[in-house]
Amino acid sequence: MSGSVPGTPSLLRAINDRAALRLLLERGPLTRPELGALTGLSKPTASQLLLRLREAGLVVLDGVREGLPGRTAEVYRVNAAAAYAAALDVTSGRIEARVADLTGAVVGEHVLEPPGGDLIGGLRAALAGARPPAPPRHLVIGVQAAVDPTTGRLGYATAEDMPGWHVDDLVDRLSMGLGVPVSVENNVNLVALAERAHGAAAGTPDFVLLWADAGIGSAIVLGGRLHRGATGGAGEVGYMPAPGAPTARESGPYADHGFQALSGGAAVLRVLRRHGIPGADLRETVRNAARAAEDPPAGPPQESTAANPPDTRMAGAVDAVPADSGEAALREVAGRLAVGLAAITSVMDPALIVLTGAVPLAGGEPLRRLIEEELHALTIARPRVRLSQVAGNPVLVGALDLALATVRDEVLDSTGVTG
């Protein structure tokens, strides 16, 4: 490997060290012969590489592996405690924290509800609640807004939505106040990163992710890279004008207008209520509509017996919703979402659209199918439409991935192992 790469000895060592550390992170513990075979390095070069990484505290001995009779090989692994990365998901009702070691293993989690107090104090309390074994090398904070790279200020959210966040040099202030280098990223962008690494968008370089919940937002990935736009607001499609909805001219820039007014959570709930779909909240109401659309109408009540137990999955008011009402309600919701997706598709021409948030996840396959049908009826391009496949909190998953990537680069750089 090293003999085929032109450059100075220090550059070749840096390239080899990075390659070895990446292999150990991806594959787990390896012997020196295994590492040499995977990198193409000679025995002396691989031995020197491991010595450098051990002296830097990045690799530790992990025992001995028995081989042929009379032969053993030392096993090496990444020193998980060499550095830590952290992530915060900040909303108006709570702050969720997660900490991982250098290998990516989660070592601490915490939820602070409600945040309360001043901005720095709340963030610090949430991070401390996750009990990081050592101060994180980097922290990524996901927010329902975006930092404008031209001004350093938070945009696409009001001071009422995010009190304390609208200050000059936001990232620097957070880093100083928390005592850790900080990045602030839009929450939907982080979900897209998680989907690309672990979910429905894996292996797809050009895709759009739509978040449909109480609020509407999207993320755009082109050539495998997030597209943030000139002011950090690429994907803020809730503000996009939509047919039949008020515009910013009438309502003001941050009022309920455009695609948000047409397809946001409040609008979806009104549509479902008009079709007679019951439910305690948005998620439950969408789920009830999907169940009604998917299942045949219930027949006359039958006496419950051991051989004929009651159907608790469709119990209660959902039994009274005719299948055609559920289908009609979902199709109207799908049609509204498809209007915005058609505009996005016409401009971006993505290969894939990933749906996530309370509305599509509660609507499941019945709603996904209808959205795809309605979208393809409006556009020449016919992108695939898929549901999210990321488990748990996707904002935290994406934020921690981003923090870990930064930390791993910084660890190598700090030891003089640069690429």
Side-chain angles (χ1 to χ4, degrees), residues 176-381:
M176 291 180 61
L178 296 173
V180 55
V182 167
S183 297
V184 178
E185 181 61 82
N186 173 262
N187 61 339
V188 183
N189 282 348
L190 293 171
V191 175
L193 293 179
E195 209 66 52
R196 186 186 64 184
H198 311 287
T204 304
D206 299 308
F207 72 95
V208 168
L209 179 136
L210 181 73
W211 176 279
D213 207 294
I216 293 278
S218 74
I220 300 164
V221 176
L222 299 173
R225 299 174 64 88
L226 266 176
H227 179 70
R228 294 180 175 86
T231 64
E236 293 286 353
V237 295
Y239 303 111
M240 181 173 64
T247 69
R249 182 183 293 112
E250 296 90 42
S251 305
Y254 291 105
D256 191 31
H257 65 83
F259 193 30
Q260 172 67 36
L262 182 72
S263 305
V268 168
L269 199 53
R270 286 194 297 269
V271 168
L272 299 180
R273 291 282 190 257
R274 179 158 40 80
H275 284 272
I277 309 297
D281 55 23
L282 175 64
R283 191 181 298 270
E284 182 179 309
T285 308
V286 175
R287 188 180 296 117
N288 287 342
R291 287 174 174 172
E294 192 174 33
D295 292 333
Q302 298 182 9
E303 182 178 353
S304 297
T305 65
N308 181 35
D311 183 1
T312 57
R313 183 175 62 88
M314 290 285 292
V318 182
D319 287 327
V321 179
D324 56 352
S325 293
E327 173 88 9
L330 279 191
R331 187 170 289 280
E332 184 173 345
V333 171
R336 289 175 175 230
L337 290 169
V339 166
L341 287 173
I344 297 168
T345 298
S346 297
V347 175
M348 304 309 306
D349 189 22
L352 170 70
I353 293 172
V354 179
L355 304 174
T356 191
V359 173
L361 295 183
E365 177 57 22
L367 181 56
R368 184 213 66 80
R369 173 179 53 81
L370 290 172
I371 291 173
E372 188 171 62
E373 287 179 8
E374 294 292 323
L375 174 62
H376 291 175
L378 297 174
T379 58
I380 295 174

